[in-house]
Structures are given as C-alpha cells and as structure tokens.
Amino acid sequence: MTENEISNTIIGLAIDVHKSLGPGLLESAYKECLFFKINQFGLFVEKEKAMPLIFEDIKLDCGYRVDLLVEKKSVIEIKSVASLSDLHLAQTITYLKLGNYKLGLLINFNEVLLKTGIRRVVNKL
C-alpha cells in the first residue's frame, strides 16, 4: 500500500473509533482503540515506536515515541486537546524527518466532527 492508501484507510478507521467513543476521552483510549482497529484491518502497526535521533553517526535516545507507525511508512500522532497547535504539528514533522517518512496524520479526537481534527503532514524529503 502507498502512504496515501494507508492514510485513507487510517482516516476511515479513526472515524469509526470516534463514532463509537465520541470526543472527550484521554489520548490513550483513542490510541488503543485505533491500534486495535488497524491490527484488525490487517495492517502492520507499531505502538509507541521509539524514534532515536542520529547525530554525527551516534544514535541518541531523546525519548521520542511515535504514537502509531503503520506499515513502517506512515506516522500517526494522536491528540485529544481543545485545538491543535503549532507544537503538535512540529512534533509530527520531527517524527517524519527523524524516521525519513513521507506522510503522517495528526489526529485530534477531541472534536465533535473528527474530520475537522485531522491534518495530513507531508515531509518534503
């Protein structure tokens, strides 16, 4: 699957999770449910994937963890906040750059209509 196909699938699954749970829960609840749905769909997904920083050929553990990494291609960063900020976007961009991934989704589940809380983030490699 391409990154775009993966992201379209993830968005559909995220909408299913949001329809079932609604807004207002903690991020961890949405992460667990979306992880389950992605697995159930048959895609390879890793949760809390460590993202080291490589500096001068040295791997440094800065404590970065990607919420979900799907098919070793797509970063999914999950939030449950009043509104997404530039800091959330910067976090997603950081993961894309450190892992050399092309596409990520920043999803804020704390929206009445989930569609308004989804941002596609592209790494211009």
Side-chain angles (χ1 to χ4, degrees):
M1 288 182 97
T2 67
E3 286 86 349
N4 282 329
E5 291 169 331
I6 293 169
S7 72
N8 289 336
T9 299
I10 300 306
I11 289 169
L13 295 172
I15 289 171
D16 290 346
V17 169
H18 190 266
K19 280 182 182 175
S20 179
L21 299 178
L25 301 178
L26 295 175
E27 176 184 313
S28 58
Y30 300 111
K31 185 187 315 173
E32 289 299 324
C33 292
L34 187 55
F35 176 78
F36 171 78
K37 292 292 281 182
I38 294 167
N39 253 330
Q40 189 179 46
F41 189 82
L43 295 176
F44 178 73
V45 58
E46 298 170 271
K47 181 174 42 174
E48 294 293 324
K49 171 88 172 150
M51 184 65 53
L53 171 65
I54 308 294
F55 179 72
E56 295 182 357
D57 296 327
I58 303 294
K59 188 186 286 189
L60 304 171
D61 183 8
C62 296
Y64 293 139
R65 302 232 180 275
V66 175
D67 284 339
L68 301 173
L69 182 63
V70 182
E71 293 288 312
K72 298 187 184 234
K73 291 182 180 182
S74 295
V75 170
I76 313 299
E77 186 60 30
I78 297 171
K79 299 296 177 197
S80 183
V81 293
S83 64
L84 292 174
S85 70
D86 289 343
L87 182 61
H88 301 130
L89 181 60
Q91 181 182 18
T92 306
I93 291 169
T94 297
Y95 296 150
L96 290 173
K97 287 184 177 183
L98 290 179
N100 202 29
Y101 303 117
K102 292 180 189 173
L103 183 65
L105 291 173
L106 175 56
I107 304 174
N108 182 14
F109 278 91
N110 198 32
E111 295 281 347
V112 174
L113 184 62
L114 185 65
K115 182 175 146 181
T116 61
I118 298 174
R119 300 230 6 223
R120 292 180 87 233
V121 184
V122 178
N123 181 14
K124 297 175 176 122
L125 303 172

